[in-house]
Amino acid sequence: MAIDMSERWKIITLAVLAFSLLTFVNRPYLSLDSFQYASGLRAFESGQAPAAGSGQTFFYMLSSPLVGLTTFQYFGPLLGALSILLLYFALRHSFGSTPSFFACAILAASPAFTSFSSSGTYLPSSLAFFLFSLGAYALLSSENKKAPVLALVGGLALAVAAFVSLDSLLLSGILALSLAAQALYDHLAKREAYLVAPALALAGVIAGLAVAGIPTLSSESSFNTVLFGLLALLPFALSALAVALLGLQKSEKGPHAFAACAILLSAIAAFFSPYAALFGAVLACAYGLSWALGEHEGQKAEMLFLGLQVFAVIFPLLYIYAFGEVRSFAFAIFVGAVAALALKLYEDNKGSFKVAVYLLALFALFLSLALGALLTQTQYKEAHADVAVALEWAAQNMPSGSVIAGFGLADQISYFAHGAALNDDALIARFLLTNATSSEFAQKGVDYLVVDARSFEDLSSLREASGENSVRMDAFSFGGLSRDQATGNIYAIFFSPDAQLLAPFDQQSGRLIGYTYTLRRATGESFEISSSRVLVLKYNDSEGLQTLDRIIYPGESHTTNLFKLYFGSVKGTEKVYPEGEGAVRIYKITG
């Protein structure tokens, strides 16, 4: 299919749209799940062997030159934009340029895609999805052009993608099985079946599974659960596919079985991994728009059979997951009725229907862009600025070769502080939630301990890691000042999810005053607590109270090291950062 001027503008628009969306926010730091790979790349480039094995070594080999050009910030967006373009070229021959454009634009905005492709992400899944997209483009182009060389490139790309990240195995398996279903579909209809693409795609998946997949998956505790789930769903998938193939074998030539199989398998895979369902999602969008816009008249019957196929899958799935027999059947009937109504609208008033489809596609694209931008912000988890500043200080001021401990901070310590990190969160958590001495840190060769006061706000991770489930503390955030109308006294009000704390406040000095504070529970209970039994935690040295300032009431857990560290009363530790107040503090282990 030749590229005219109109399509060139679509390609340019799609590339600019994808890259702009993925770089929507210029983030100062990497996402939290990217630090371990960024630290591993630095170790790899300095000649150290990564601890994670050959798969990540291969990822570092492929990504190192690209990171040199893009930096970590733009690694994900560049690969994401290229993946979108490859998928567009893979789909345009079968479904047309306009449906493919809308489908790929919506994919670029989806949270499942931006989660590994937006700025600040450096993950194997980004590179693996690009390699999968390259494989999909090569394999589908091979089918269209009958070019075995392209099929070989596609199979190799799928194998390499599996070696970079096991997350791509389901994606590649869906693509290979869908190509095989299309070959079977053509054979049943007594048309020429192109077997090279599905054969090499399956070979690539098997090679990736054998080299990278089986040794890793067999050691994972969740593998048996996932495998059982897939096997339980497989009979329904195969029966629905058989119905679709039997019904479609006499219809016109086209990628109908390929689309039906890919969409069906992706819907099943979505229960386990949204990442694995991305290709099926973009394919379903392109296929549906292509039919609705009338670019392939022969698809009306195929969509009807596809509706039956969806019904055949939805009903048993909902029944299995205890949705109820009547409700499952009613919902499946509703889906079939919607499909029949869509067909009637198409046949009765094609022009109006096309306009409605265009408007719906534009609205879906706009909604996807808005939700994608919003959810990318809410789902993206990056390092806290004060943690990064503290670790950068450590890199400049600590002796070379220092070992640093920090709960949940090992990857960030390796990245920012360029030092050795203690990978033992259980030990760190036990120390923080008990009154144990620092001698065990000294025995492990730990020189410094990093503590983040945000741990006070949610102790669940520390409790889970340490087993100290009895530790409870209240963290109150500053909400504002209030004047008692009866006495004229001014109080600072601090809030927690289920309580309120009132502390007398002196406006002239900007400080809390008084020997007691009032704590009011949501249950109606109210009592006075000594001001010496709470920790006033300021996030900086500014005068007065700020929004981020906290009061920590430990209750019966006042003997824990996490609480005592901020009073400087834990033997064997000495605060070295910061000089004044701060939520993030670094302590030197002295014995």
Side-chain angles (χ1 to χ4, degrees):
M1 181 185 292
I3 299 177
D4 56 18
M5 184 58 67
S6 173
E7 187 167 5
R8 289 177 185 174
W9 279 111
K10 289 178 184 176
I11 295 170
I12 294 171
T13 302
L14 187 61
V16 172
L17 177 68
F19 191 77
S20 299
L21 178 66
L22 296 175
T23 57
F24 182 72
V25 176
N26 184 22
R27 300 185 173 99
Y29 303 113
L30 292 172
S31 64
L32 290 181
D33 51 357
S34 298
F35 280 112
Q36 68 174 104
Y37 302 107
S39 301
L41 178 62
R42 286 182 172 175
F44 171 78
E45 291 177 338
S46 63
Q48 302 176 28
S54 57
Q56 285 192 12
T57 302
F58 195 57
F59 167 62
Y60 298 140
M61 288 175 58
L62 294 178
S63 63
S64 179
L66 188 58
V67 171
L69 295 173
T70 64
T71 72
F72 289 123
Q73 286 295 326
Y74 298 105
F75 175 83
L78 179 60
L79 288 178
L82 291 175
S83 300
I84 291 296
L85 288 177
L86 285 170
L87 288 176
Y88 169 78
F89 284 114
L91 298 176
R92 62 183 279 272
H93 179 85
S94 299
F95 307 111
S97 61
T98 299
S100 300
F101 170 83
F102 277 111
C104 291
I106 292 173
L107 174 66
S110 67
F113 182 77
T114 57
S115 65
F116 62 84
S117 297
S118 58
S119 60
T121 53
Y122 174 67
L123 301 169
S125 52
S126 304
L127 180 58
F129 192 84
F130 166 75
L131 290 168
F132 165 80
S133 301
L134 176 62
Y137 165 71
L139 288 164
L140 292 177
S141 297
S142 170
E143 276 215 322
N144 296 328
K145 300 177 181 178
K146 301 297 187 287
V149 175
L150 283 175
L152 179 61
V153 171
L156 288 174
L158 297 186
V160 175
F163 204 57
V164 169
S165 173
L166 291 177
D167 292 338
S168 69
L169 269 175
L170 270 177
L171 270 171
S172 300
I174 290 171
L175 175 62
L177 291 174
S178 301
L179 288 171
Q182 181 65 39
L184 176 61
Y185 167 69
D186 289 333
H187 176 72
L188 290 174
K190 302 187 183 306
R191 289 189 292 265
E192 181 183 359
Y194 187 70
L195 300 177
V196 176
L200 290 176
L202 287 170
V205 172
I206 293 171
L209 183 63
V211 175
I214 292 177
T216 304
L217 288 175
S218 60
S219 63
E220 294 182 358
S221 59
S222 60
F223 175 63
N224 290 334
T225 303
V226 174
L227 180 61
F228 177 78
L230 286 173
L231 290 176
L233 295 173
L234 190 58
F236 300 107
L238 292 177
S239 60
L241 181 59
V243 172
L245 288 173
L246 290 174
L248 296 174
Q249 62 173 314
K250 294 183 179 180
S251 59
E252 295 181 5
K253 184 178 181 181
H256 314 304
F258 170 76
C261 185
I263 295 169
L264 171 66
L265 294 178
S266 296
I268 295 174
F271 283 97
F272 309 101
S273 169
Y275 181 86
L278 288 175
F279 180 66
V282 69
L283 186 63
C285 187
Y287 188 66
L289 285 172
S290 177
W291 164 77
L293 296 177
E295 294 191 20
H296 291 289
E297 293 291 338
Q299 287 185 2
K300 291 184 289 185
E302 283 80 351
M303 289 302 295
L304 182 59
F305 280 112
L306 187 59
L308 293 174
Q309 178 183 355
V310 172
F311 172 86
V313 175
I314 288 178
F315 175 71
L317 281 180
L318 293 178
Y319 186 73
I320 288 174
Y321 286 95
F323 195 70
E325 184 175 356
V326 176
R327 282 181 293 177
S328 299
F329 186 79
F331 184 77
I333 287 292
F334 173 75
V335 173
V338 170
L341 179 61
L343 280 171
K344 185 177 186 303
L345 285 172
Y346 181 86
E347 294 171 353
D348 290 349
N349 198 336
K350 179 180 176 183
S352 299
F353 186 73
K354 289 183 69 172
V355 171
V357 169
Y358 269 119
L359 291 175
L360 183 61
L362 287 170
F363 176 73
L365 177 57
F366 172 78
L367 187 64
S368 297
L369 292 174
L371 289 177
L374 176 64
L375 292 176
T376 298
Q377 300 307 308
T378 58
Q379 292 182 349
Y380 185 88
K381 296 180 180 179
E382 65 180 343
H384 295 290
D386 48 2
V387 174
V389 170
L391 295 178
E392 288 170 346
W393 177 91
Q396 298 175 3
N397 294 275
M398 290 182 182
S400 177
S402 297
V403 178
I404 308 172
F407 182 77
L409 298 175
D411 295 327
Q412 294 181 59
I413 289 170
S414 299
Y415 180 80
F416 287 114
H418 310 296
L422 177 68
N423 281 299
D424 193 344
D425 278 348
L427 170 62
I428 301 169
R430 282 196 303 273
F431 173 78
L432 293 176
L433 293 191
T434 64
N435 58 0
T437 66
S438 60
S439 58
E440 193 165 357
F441 281 141
Q443 293 172 5
K444 294 278 188 177
V446 175
D447 301 298
Y448 295 90
L449 173 66
V450 182
V451 183
D452 186 356
R454 292 177 184 84
S455 298
F456 287 116
E457 298 174 19
D458 184 8
L459 295 173
S460 58
S461 298
L462 286 170
R463 286 197 292 257
E464 183 178 352
S466 65
E468 300 292 334
N469 296 319
S470 62
V471 177
R472 293 289 185 275
M473 296 187 193
D474 289 312
F476 298 87
S477 58
F478 176 63
L481 300 176
S482 176
R483 182 184 296 273
D484 188 326
Q485 298 298 327
T487 64
N489 295 332
I490 297 177
Y491 292 89
I493 304 178
F494 293 81
F495 298 94
S496 76
D498 57 357
Q500 183 185 90
L501 188 144
L502 281 73
F505 182 77
D506 180 24
Q507 284 188 305
Q508 291 185 346
S509 63
R511 295 178 179 275
L512 299 177
I513 57 176
Y515 295 105
T516 60
Y517 301 151
T518 303
L519 194 155
R520 299 173 179 171
R521 299 286 187 189
T523 58
E525 180 186 11
S526 179
F527 54 91
E528 303 293 317
I529 58 176
S530 172
S531 59
S532 63
R533 290 289 299 273
V534 303
L535 168 65
V536 180
L537 182 61
K538 293 184 65 63
Y539 272 57
N540 52 51
D541 290 318
S542 60
E543 295 183 0
L545 293 173
Q546 307 297 321
T547 305
L548 291 176
D549 293 340
R550 302 285 189 269
I551 281 185
I552 311 299
Y553 175 59
E556 300 301 321
S557 302
H558 59 90
T559 60
T560 60
N561 288 328
L562 176 61
F563 185 74
K564 291 163 60 180
L565 276 170
Y566 281 82
F567 280 105
S569 58
V570 177
K571 291 183 179 181
T573 65
E574 175 189 351
K575 191 183 84 166
V576 295
Y577 175 91
E579 293 183 359
E581 300 286 349
V584 180
R585 302 187 181 184
I586 301 178
Y587 297 87
K588 183 177 181 180
I589 305 299
T590 58

